[in-house]
Amino acid sequence: MKKTKQAHNPMHLRFAVLSVDVALFTMRDHRLFVRLIAVNRPPYFVNGKGLPGGLVDPKETAEEAVKRHIEAKALIDPEKTYLEQLYTFSGIDRDPRGRVVAVAYTALVPWEKLSATERGDTDSAFWVPVGEARELAYDHDEILGMAENRLQSRIAYTTLISKLLPKEFTLTEMEQTYESILHANLDKRNFRKKILKLNIIKSIGRKRADGAFRPAELYRFAENKVKEIEIL
Amino acid sequence: MKKTKQAHNPMHLRFAVLSVDVALFTMRDHRLFVRLIAVNRPPYFVNGKGLPGGLVDPKETAEEAVKRHIEAKALIDPEKTYLEQLYTFSGIDRDPRGRVVAVAYTALVPWEKLSATERGDTDSAFWVPVGEARELAYDHDEILGMAENRLQSRIAYTTLISKLLPKEFTLTEMEQTYESILHANLDKRNFRKKILKLNIIKSIGRKRADGAFRPAELYRFAENKVKEIEIL
DNA sequence: TCACGTGGTGTATTATTGACAATAACTAAA
DNA sequence: TTTAGTTATTGTCAATAATACACCACGTGA
């Protein structure tokens, strides 16, 4: 009888506050950074930090909400980012303000695509090396950890790395990006052989001179779409 | 000003109806089946079918809600199933009754674990071969399609198959399960070499006589946990 | 004991991986 | 112009893994 009564409640009496949170990553001189925002709500008054996020409006999808909050909270143009849904966190006490279910997203953006403002830090939004982003508000440590794990495994069997690299890049940059995310060293020769055989990137016939040494061949991704291929 | 006003609305005015849906799979004589339920709500009156699911209560997590609905709607003991979150669907018009956000799950259960009742079909809950489960209510075709895709890719690089096989199984059964899900033929000798080298299963030293022919060695999984290993 | 049907195994070939270091290209300073 | 300094680029060999492929083993029941 209890169950039946619940099941017959009008829908508007059943509600959950729905929110989105996003782990927005970029690769800044071979280190992975995440965009954090200041959290100044109880009980996170003192120097609180957390992932950008906020509520979902009744008339927007979760993805639209993420984009809106990336713009408003992270102060980054959402159109520059690549979004993937990560996981939905529905723990009852994950937010001290009440029942809030969060759909978490991972977002990637190449550092080179960002404007000077977007690269900068303010009191309310700032870039932090992933390794130093700890003790975040709510369950954001868990969300960030899951985002990092997922990123690590997905770059190994998809072309996701293309969403962190600039349009034109060298093989050394590509290799360093992998090494930084995977916390591993790759063999230069074997890496090049493997990547070139996959036909996911193509030389654009130009070189980049970056100092007093041999310039590196520039490449770009053959497709814009993220494909599922065994890379490493 | 509009944005500011929204942002300051009290939380209880921002709501979404949160629901869960589940693609519950089992492997019944080498074919993948999914559990469907009758859907008799407008506009799905005539012979409507859909995935089991329902609303999330304010005091339960999404996973608890899935388990509750697996029991109540699919008429299967949820403790027998293995659950994985699939994706959250937040399309504004996905449910004609109003705004309903769905957290979709995949559930797996070995056919051998089910009771006679659970194996049976009623008017309101029944097993259907995955290939024949089409034209479902709401966006359940999309959810089921995504669940099937995810299952296909995850059995290739995790030990997920263990959640579809009975406790004790033969190598032939294991191979047929892979073949059925992947819609592919595997080489018997190479399959056995590969699986045995991975050390994910161990012989239990007994055989199963299944007819007038040589009995097959029985195996069981070494670990209960689903591990991420390259299998195929 | 033999016919039947499934279970179980080995080998040879090819493809892939992984470990390894020398030369090329360019700049700037002597 | 020569040289020193720095990064870019390339190939070989050995080991391992992947693939293709066919026969005997084992148990049952006629």
Side-chain angles (χ1 to χ4, degrees):
Chain A
M1 196 58 181
K2 244 192 300 187
K3 262 189 189 165
T4 311
K5 187 175 157 212
Q6 280 190 345
H8 286 240
N9 274 347
M11 284 182 76
H12 65 273
L13 292 184
R14 299 283 203 104
F15 68 91
V17 176
L18 190 66
S19 71
V20 289
D21 288 307
V22 58
L24 168 55
F25 295 113
T26 196
M27 187 64 56
R28 174 175 162 187
D29 43 56
H30 317 313
R31 290 177 78 190
L32 191 65
F33 279 69
V34 64
R35 189 76 163 164
L36 297 185
I37 63 168
V39 174
N40 290 316
R41 289 173 180 275
Y44 304 110
F45 276 116
V46 187
N47 219 357
K49 286 168 279 187
L51 298 175
L55 301 182
V56 177
D57 280 342
K59 286 285 176 57
E60 70 184 352
T61 64
E63 188 160 324
E64 287 162 355
V66 174
K67 288 184 180 172
R68 186 165 55 80
H69 288 112
I70 285 176
E71 183 150 44
K73 304 263 178 67
L75 310 179
I76 305 286
D77 177 2
E79 296 311 317
K80 295 177 179 173
T81 69
Y82 174 78
L83 275 178
E84 267 188 16
Q85 192 182 298
L86 177 63
Y87 193 79
T88 295
F89 294 82
S90 64
I92 293 169
D93 295 319
R94 53 175 298 282
D95 190 318
R97 288 170 285 173
R99 181 73 195 275
V100 180
V101 172
V103 185
Y105 282 77
T106 299
L108 304 178
V109 66
W111 181 253
E112 292 75 10
K113 222 173 175 176
L114 297 174
S115 70
T117 316
E118 289 167 333
R119 291 180 188 188
D121 294 339
T122 72
D123 282 348
S124 60
F126 37 89
W127 293 106
V128 175
V130 166
E132 297 168 20
R134 289 295 123 88
E135 302 195 7
L136 304 181
Y138 315 111
D139 54 356
H140 289 186
D141 280 331
E142 187 186 356
I143 296 177
L144 179 57
M146 192 183 283
E148 208 184 338
N149 282 337
R150 186 93 128 238
L151 179 62
Q152 284 178 356
S153 63
R154 273 183 72 75
I155 61 168
Y157 64 88
T158 70
T159 57
L160 196 58
I161 197 90
S162 66
K163 301 306 179 184
L164 278 174
L165 290 170
K167 244 198 204 113
E168 304 180 351
F169 53 89
T170 66
L171 283 177
T172 301
E173 286 172 344
M174 187 177 184
E175 185 187 338
Q176 286 170 334
T177 300
Y178 274 107
E179 290 176 332
S180 169
I181 294 176
L182 296 175
H183 308 296
N185 273 39
L186 304 177
D187 180 90
K188 201 199 304 193
R189 281 165 289 187
N190 295 335
F191 176 80
R192 283 159 188 251
K193 265 185 296 184
K194 224 175 194 171
I195 295 292
L196 291 175
K197 187 183 292 192
L198 290 173
N199 276 333
I200 53 175
I201 63 174
K202 53 183 183 192
S203 163
I204 60 172
R206 278 190 293 115
K207 292 168 190 279
R208 175 194 300 160
D210 222 1
F213 43 82
R214 178 174 181 172
E217 189 73 31
L218 286 170
Y219 291 85
R220 115 180 5 183
F221 266 83
E223 286 190 41
N224 225 286
K225 222 180 73 192
V226 172
K227 286 205 312 187
E228 307 236 333
I229 309 185
E230 184 87 10
I231 310 271
L232 299 180
Chain B
M1 197 58 181
K2 243 191 303 185
K3 260 187 189 166
T4 311
K5 189 176 155 213
Q6 280 190 346
H8 285 240
N9 273 346
M11 285 182 75
H12 66 274
L13 292 184
R14 301 283 204 104
F15 67 90
V17 175
L18 190 67
S19 71
V20 289
D21 288 307
V22 58
L24 169 54
F25 295 113
T26 195
M27 187 65 57
R28 175 173 160 189
D29 44 55
H30 317 313
R31 288 176 79 190
L32 191 65
F33 280 69
V34 63
R35 189 75 162 166
L36 297 184
I37 62 168
V39 174
N40 291 315
R41 287 175 182 275
Y44 305 110
F45 275 117
V46 186
N47 219 358
K49 286 169 278 188
L51 298 175
L55 301 183
V56 177
D57 280 342
K59 285 286 176 56
E60 70 185 352
T61 64
E63 188 161 323
E64 288 163 355
V66 175
K67 287 183 180 172
R68 185 165 57 80
H69 289 111
I70 285 175
E71 182 149 45
K73 304 262 177 68
L75 310 179
I76 305 287
D77 177 1
E79 296 311 317
K80 295 178 179 172
T81 70
Y82 173 77
L83 275 178
E84 267 187 18
Q85 192 183 298
L86 177 63
Y87 194 79
T88 295
F89 294 83
S90 64
I92 292 169
D93 295 319
R94 54 175 296 282
D95 190 317
R97 289 170 285 173
R99 180 73 195 276
V100 180
V101 172
V103 185
Y105 282 78
T106 299
L108 304 177
V109 65
W111 181 253
E112 292 75 9
K113 221 173 175 177
L114 297 174
S115 69
T117 315
E118 290 167 330
R119 291 180 187 187
D121 294 339
T122 71
D123 282 347
S124 60
F126 38 89
W127 292 106
V128 175
V130 165
E132 298 168 19
R134 289 295 122 88
E135 302 195 5
L136 305 181
Y138 315 112
D139 54 355
H140 289 186
D141 280 330
E142 186 186 355
I143 297 178
L144 179 56
M146 191 182 285
E148 208 185 338
N149 282 336
R150 186 90 131 243
L151 179 61
Q152 284 179 356
S153 62
R154 274 185 71 76
I155 61 168
Y157 64 89
T158 70
T159 58
L160 196 57
I161 196 90
S162 66
K163 302 305 179 183
L164 277 173
L165 291 170
K167 243 195 206 117
E168 304 179 350
F169 54 89
T170 68
L171 284 178
T172 301
E173 287 172 342
M174 187 177 184
E175 184 187 339
Q176 287 171 334
T177 301
Y178 274 107
E179 290 177 331
S180 169
I181 293 175
L182 296 175
H183 307 297
N185 271 39
L186 304 176
D187 180 90
K188 199 203 305 191
R189 279 167 290 187
N190 295 335
F191 175 79
R192 283 158 188 251
K193 265 186 292 184
K194 223 176 196 171
I195 295 293
L196 291 175
K197 186 183 293 193
L198 289 173
N199 277 333
I200 53 175
I201 62 174
K202 53 184 184 191
S203 163
I204 60 173
R206 278 189 294 115
K207 292 167 190 280
R208 176 195 300 161
D210 222 2
F213 44 81
R214 179 173 179 174
E217 189 72 32
L218 286 170
Y219 292 84
R220 104 175 22 176
F221 266 84
E223 286 190 41
N224 225 285
K225 221 180 73 190
V226 173
K227 285 205 310 187
E228 307 236 334
I229 309 184
E230 184 86 9
I231 311 272
L232 298 180

